[in-house]
């Protein structure tokens, strides 16, 4: 890490004008005798190398010395618990999927798998559920201050947990809450976070290999946090498999007490600057990540009116309608319908793609679907490389045939 330091005492109107002219990103300004560098700066260092001597200095931050990895143990999964409108606490299923993956990773290091639970109520029931899905221990923070999600309040509990338990790795579901909380906590500990990992591996030295697409999905980057702990990764829903639920009925009270650690909550953690005055539920939206059947449309569709045909086919199949980014960009469907790297990951039992080429960024979000039927006029379309059934043909003809077939099945 490096930053630019301005030596204001050396700034004159003349050298300020020189620096402003030099900066290719228009990041330098001069006002009221003060030189400023904005966030447009790309640290190209032109002002340091070519600018007036000594006015702008590049200060390199010393790399961390390294960390005693043996003093950080365990893989933690953040249990994404929220209060439902019915007043019960629900854990997002991505947390169970991450527990399944953590179990697999823990085999390499022999570490335990922990779940971190921050909840307004119902900690015991939630903790038991987390044990059933593979946690070895649950650390539970329960207090009404966690009724509504507040990044600052939740982060305090999260930080307390990390200071006390010192886990080596922390896995967080890439939900709205997870995406907000994980970077804040990672920044607090000045450690690394890799967002939206699509695969995770563990090294024997406890380095977590965080794998995710980079450069627009054209390469898979392997990212390692070598000098700091803990190492944070966020993972989207439906990337990993949850383990089957295991009964914990045979655990004695004493064993349960050993496994469920009730953590002390400090009243000072509550961020009193935020007052929630009213909560209004959004109308329920169909989440394509949850869908068992999907009809997905792409740029092969000729007009927005033709969405009606795709929607009718989806309805007939009891499927969700989804799309490639191309149709979101045209404004024909909103972003909640988009499958892919910058959309949602889906893993339905059946997906029919109509007029979608199968670019890597689209495929990244659906290639683990159980059955993929692709329709495309181009026999060389990349979608056919991952489809189980490949139909080379016009999507309108195929959709029409399919509708007739489904109608005749209904009549029979
Ligand atoms: C950083 C980044 C992130 C991205 N994220 C995503 C993402 O999350 N999701 C996503 O989808 N894309 C994403 N993209 C865009 C992606 O690269 C593709 O541009 C996009 O997926 C193309 O959509 P498409 O397949 O609908 O369109 P096209 O690639 O234009 O394909 C249309 C297909 O329809 C076929 N066709 C045409 N007419 C017919 C017909 N009558 N019947 C049958 N087939 C027909 C054509 O042969 C063609 O294969 C991303 C790109 C970048 C750079």
């Amino acid at each position: 890490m490096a930053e630019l330091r301005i030596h204001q005492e050396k700034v004159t109107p003349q050298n300020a004008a020189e620096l402003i002219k030099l900066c290719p990103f228009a990041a330098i300004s001069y006002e009221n005798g003060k030189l400023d560098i904005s966030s447009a700066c790309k640290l190209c260092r032109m002002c340091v190398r070519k600018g007036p001597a000594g006015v702008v200095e590049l200060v390199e931050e010393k790399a961390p010395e390294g960390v005693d990895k043996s003093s950080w143990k365990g893989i933690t999964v953040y249990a994404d618990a929220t209060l439902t409108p019915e007043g019960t606490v629900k854990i997002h299923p991505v947390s169970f999927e991450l527990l399944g993956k953590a179990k697999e990773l823990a085999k390499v290091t022999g570490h335990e798998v922990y779940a971190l639970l921050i909840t307004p109520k119902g900690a015991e029931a939630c903790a038991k559920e987390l044990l059933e899905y593979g946690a070895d221990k649950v650390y539970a923070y329960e207090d009404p201050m966690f009724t509504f999600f507040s990044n600052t309040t939740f982060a305090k509990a999260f930080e307390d947990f990390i200071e006390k338990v010192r886990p080596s790795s922390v896995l967080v579901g890439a939900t709205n809450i997870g995406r907000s909380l994980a970077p804040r906590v990672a920044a607090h500990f000045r450690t690394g976070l890799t967002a939206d990992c699509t695969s995770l591996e563990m090294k024997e030295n406890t380095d977590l290999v965080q794998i995710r697409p980079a450069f627009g999905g054209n390469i898979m980057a392997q990212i390692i946090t070598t000098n700091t702990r803990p190492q944070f990764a966020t993972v989207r829903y439906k990337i990993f498999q949850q383990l089957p639920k295991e009964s914990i009925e045979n655990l004695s009270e004493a064993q349960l007490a050993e496994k469920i650690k009730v953590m002390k909550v400090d009243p000072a953690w509550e961020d009193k600057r935020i007052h929630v005055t009213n909560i209004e539920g959004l109308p329920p939206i169909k989440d394509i990540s949850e869908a068992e059947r999907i009809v997905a449309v792409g740029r092969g569709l000729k007009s927005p009116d033709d969405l009606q045909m795709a929607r009718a086919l989806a309805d007939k199949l009891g499927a969700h309608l989804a799309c490639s980014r191309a149709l979101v960009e045209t404004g024909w469907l909103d972003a909640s319908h988009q499958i892919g790297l910058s959309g949602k990951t889906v893993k339905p039992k059946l997906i029919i793609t109509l007029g979608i080429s199968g670019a890597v960024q689209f495929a990244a979000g659906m290639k683990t679907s159980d059955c993929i039927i692709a329709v495309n006029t181009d026999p060389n379309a990349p979608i056919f490389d991952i489809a189980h059934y490949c139909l080379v043909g016009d999507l309108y003809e195929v959709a029409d045939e399919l509708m007739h077939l489904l109608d005749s099945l209904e009549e029979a």
Side-chain angles (χ1 to χ4, degrees), residues 38 74 93 200 203 212 244 256 316 322 365 393 399:
S38 75
L200 293 170
K203 289 186 168 194
R212 59 150 298 149
L256 270 181
K316 187 126 293 210

Side-chain angles (χ1 to χ4, degrees), residues 298-299 324-325 338-343 355 357 361 376-377 394-395:
R299 213 180 334 241
S324 68
R325 186 156 115 176
Q338 184 187 321
I339 294 174
L341 205 57
S342 50
S357 60
Q361 296 89 354
N376 199 304
T377 42
D394 179 68
L395 72 91

Side-chain angles (χ1 to χ4, degrees), residues 78 116 118 149-163 167 170 172 177-193 229-230 232:
Y78 173 67
L116 164 62
I118 303 173
F149 177 67
S150 151
N151 208 353
T152 36
T153 305
F154 275 56
K156 289 278 189 245
F158 210 136
E159 288 157 16
D160 180 76
F161 163 76
I162 289 177
E163 274 155 18
V170 180
V172 181
I177 287 180
R179 281 178 203 262
S180 172
L181 196 51
R184 186 177 191 100
V185 181
H188 175 85
F189 289 98
R190 297 187 76 75
T191 187
L193 177 146
R229 288 289 184 270
F232 276 79

Side-chain angles (χ1 to χ4, degrees), residues 47-316:
C47 49
V48 181
R49 284 187 282 118
K50 300 259 168 79
V55 177
V56 185
E57 183 194 3
L58 184 80
V59 184
E60 298 273 2
E61 193 181 299
K62 235 175 122 213
E65 292 279 303
V67 62
D68 175 11
K69 293 177 185 172
S70 64
S71 69
W72 295 82
K73 289 204 175 77
I75 304 175
T76 292
V77 171
Y78 173 67
D80 199 323
T82 45
L83 196 65
T84 64
E86 295 76 41
T88 55
V89 175
K90 189 174 183 302
I91 298 174
H92 194 289
V94 69
S95 311
F96 303 133
E97 294 175 353
L98 291 180
L99 282 172
K101 185 66 188 179
K103 276 301 235 202
E104 186 193 313
L105 298 170
K107 285 187 191 145
V108 181
T109 53
H111 283 185
E112 287 195 305
V113 171
Y114 309 135
L116 164 62
L117 175 67
I118 303 173
T119 179
K121 61 183 201 178
E124 193 183 331
C126 290
K128 284 182 176 164
E129 201 178 9
L130 291 160
L131 293 176
E132 286 169 339
Y133 278 107
D136 295 313
K137 279 195 187 120
V138 180
Y139 291 84
Y141 292 81
E142 182 178 22
D143 191 276
M145 76 166 77
F146 304 123
T147 302
F148 304 112
F149 177 67
S150 151
N151 208 353
T152 36
T153 305
F154 275 56
K156 289 278 189 245
F158 210 136
E159 288 157 16
D160 180 76
F161 163 76
I162 289 177
E163 274 155 18
K164 292 194 171 125
V165 180
R166 294 171 66 82
S168 175
S169 304
V170 180
L171 311 183
V172 181
T175 59
N176 289 343
I177 287 180
R179 281 178 203 262
S180 172
L181 196 51
R184 186 177 191 100
V185 181
H188 175 85
F189 289 98
R190 297 187 76 75
T191 187
L193 177 146
T194 306
D196 287 350
C197 296
T198 52
S199 183
L200 293 170
E201 288 167 16
M202 183 62 79
K203 289 186 168 194
E204 279 175 15
N205 72 352
T206 74
D207 280 352
L208 181 68
V209 185
Q210 301 150 74
I211 303 166
R212 59 150 298 149
F215 294 107
N218 291 313
I219 62 158
M220 295 304 283
Q222 300 205 348
I223 298 159
I224 303 172
T225 308
T226 49
N227 290 326
T228 55
R229 288 289 184 270
Q231 38 203 340
F232 276 79
T234 65
V235 180
R236 288 202 225 168
Y237 181 36
K238 295 270 176 179
I239 296 281
F240 298 131
Q241 294 270 346
Q242 68 185 42
L243 294 173
K245 226 174 174 179
E246 272 203 15
S247 168
I248 53 161
E249 271 175 16
N250 57 349
L251 292 180
S252 65
E253 284 298 314
Q255 284 170 317
L256 270 181
E258 192 48 42
K259 283 180 172 290
I260 303 175
K261 305 277 183 200
V262 179
M263 304 297 278
K264 199 166 173 290
V265 174
D266 184 343
W269 292 345
E270 188 171 7
D271 187 346
K272 297 232 166 71
R273 292 170 304 174
I274 299 167
H275 297 278
V276 179
T277 50
N278 184 27
I279 297 273
E280 276 182 33
L282 286 170
I285 47 160
K286 282 188 175 180
D287 184 359
I288 56 168
S289 303
E290 303 275 1
E292 296 216 327
R293 289 174 220 160
I294 290 178
V295 171
V297 281
R299 213 180 334 241
L301 218 60
K302 292 192 176 74
S303 134
D305 297 338
D306 300 342
L307 282 171
Q308 201 47 43
M309 170 274 294
R311 202 167 267 130
L313 180 61
D315 287 347
K316 187 126 293 210

